[in-house]
């Protein structure tokens, strides 16, 4: 099962990816997570991406396309993957098309998470992310997490922080960049019979059941 998630930042793509990954063992391909990992390791790709990300701008297409080409060609992706955060521009969408053809792969389901800008801003500004497993919670939920709960990647509890690009100023810029550069490519996928528009404003469990129902039919 190969899945594509489209939608603005804060629409729940990462949360739903993790839920699908946990239940169905699909490979989660998040270009944002890949860049953050590269920045942490101070690799060349990480160094190239950092300044763009801190400003809320997109990393140049060539860098992102090379990254996804390498990752998608790895053997674990043959068992099914979720693309989360790629493609974000028209050249990336075209590159993905060519890449999938060359790898003899297809997208089985395309989900577009739709929700109002005001909800996105509120969600992103209160979002806290675990440095190790990338789990996302709201500042409110963070207060409720029992200290006994452990991280899925490291021993001990999750290490939550606020991403620099989740600060109020950068969030506004990211939504603007999404509207200018990514929203236009939705039309490219909308025509596909595998496309489904999902209401991203409801609880994660409710979104997940919509996805599962659609995946059973795919
Ligand atoms: P995300 O974690 O998906 O919100 O991505 C965080 C940041 O990584 C974005 O704001 C971009 O700066 C960069 N990024 C991630 N994916 C892409 C992409 N497909 N194209 C360009 N930049 C990207």
């Amino acid at each position: 099962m190969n899945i594509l998630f489209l939608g603005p930042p804060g629409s729940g793509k990462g949360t739903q990816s993790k839920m699908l990954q946990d239940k169905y063992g699909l490979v989660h391909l998040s270009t944002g997570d890949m860049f953050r990992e590269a920045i942490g390791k101070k690799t060349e790709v990480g160094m190239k991406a950092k300044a763009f990300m801190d400003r809320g701008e997109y990393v140049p297409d060539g860098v992102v396309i090379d990254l996804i080409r390498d990752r998608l060609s790895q053997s674990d992706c043959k068992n099914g993957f979720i693309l989360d955060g790629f493609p974000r521009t028209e050249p990336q969408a075209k590159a993905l098309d060519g890449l999938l053809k060359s790898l003899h792969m297809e997208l089985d389901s395309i989900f577009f998470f739709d929700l109002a800008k005001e909800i996105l801003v509120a969600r992103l500004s209160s979002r806290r992310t675990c440095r190790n497993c990338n789990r996302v919670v709201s500042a409110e939920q963070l207060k409720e997490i029992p200290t006994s709960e452990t991280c899925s990647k490291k021993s001990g509890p999750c290490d939550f922080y606020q991403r620099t690009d989740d600060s109020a100023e950068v969030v506004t810029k990211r939504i603007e960049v999404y509207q200018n550069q990514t929203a236009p490519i939705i039309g490219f996928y909308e025509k596909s019979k595998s496309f489904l528009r999902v209401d991203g404003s409801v609880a994660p469990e409710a979104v997940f059941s919509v996805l599962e129902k659609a995946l059973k039919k795919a």
Side-chain angles (χ1 to χ4, degrees), residues 8-10 13 30-36 49-61 64-65 67-68 84-89 92 124 127 163 165-166 170 174 177 181-182:
K13 303 187 299 297
S30 156
T31 38
D33 286 350
M34 291 178 204
F35 284 133
R36 280 183 288 278
K50 189 174 184 323
F52 294 99
M53 291 173 74
D54 285 346
R55 291 195 298 264
E57 293 169 11
Y58 284 169
V59 176
D61 285 332
V64 195
I65 292 167
L67 187 76
I68 221 70
D84 159 17
F86 179 93
R88 269 173 148 113
T89 64
Q92 291 180 23
L124 288 168
R127 182 162 81 170
R163 279 170 42 179
D165 61 346
D166 279 346
V170 187
R174 284 166 66 202
V177 170
Q181 301 195 50
T182 308

Side-chain angles (χ1 to χ4, degrees), residues 78-197:
K78 288 199 181 81
N79 303 324
F81 59 79
I82 309 155
L83 273 173
D84 159 17
F86 179 93
R88 269 173 148 113
T89 64
E90 199 181 318
Q92 291 180 23
K94 288 189 174 145
L96 176 63
D97 205 36
L99 191 56
L100 291 174
K101 281 196 181 107
S102 72
L103 293 167
H104 307 290
M105 288 171 161
E106 272 184 7
L107 295 173
D108 302 295
S109 283
I110 303 167
F111 296 106
F112 168 50
F113 297 86
D114 200 10
L115 71 170
K117 185 180 166 187
E118 301 72 52
I119 307 179
L120 297 174
V121 175
R123 270 196 194 175
L124 288 168
S125 315
S126 96
R127 182 162 81 170
R128 302 292 180 269
T129 308
C130 173
R131 280 181 209 283
N132 304 313
C133 70
N134 295 313
R135 179 181 167 197
V136 164
V137 295
S138 68
E140 280 304 304
Q141 289 167 328
L142 188 57
K143 293 182 203 146
E144 311 286 316
I145 297 178
T147 44
S148 56
E149 216 173 275
T150 51
C151 177
S152 61
K153 280 280 161 67
K154 276 205 171 160
S155 61
C158 282
D159 181 9
F160 289 105
Y161 77 115
Q162 181 174 34
R163 279 170 42 179
T164 38
D165 61 346
D166 279 346
S167 65
E169 321 79 73
V170 187
V171 160
T172 313
K173 169 79 180 173
R174 284 166 66 202
I175 294 173
E176 192 187 300
V177 170
Y178 168 83
Q179 270 159 353
N180 291 336
Q181 301 195 50
T182 308
I185 69 164
I186 306 300
F188 182 80
Y189 291 104
E190 222 166 14
K191 297 174 205 113
S192 163
K193 59 179 181 347
S194 318
F195 181 92
L196 185 70
R197 186 181 293 262

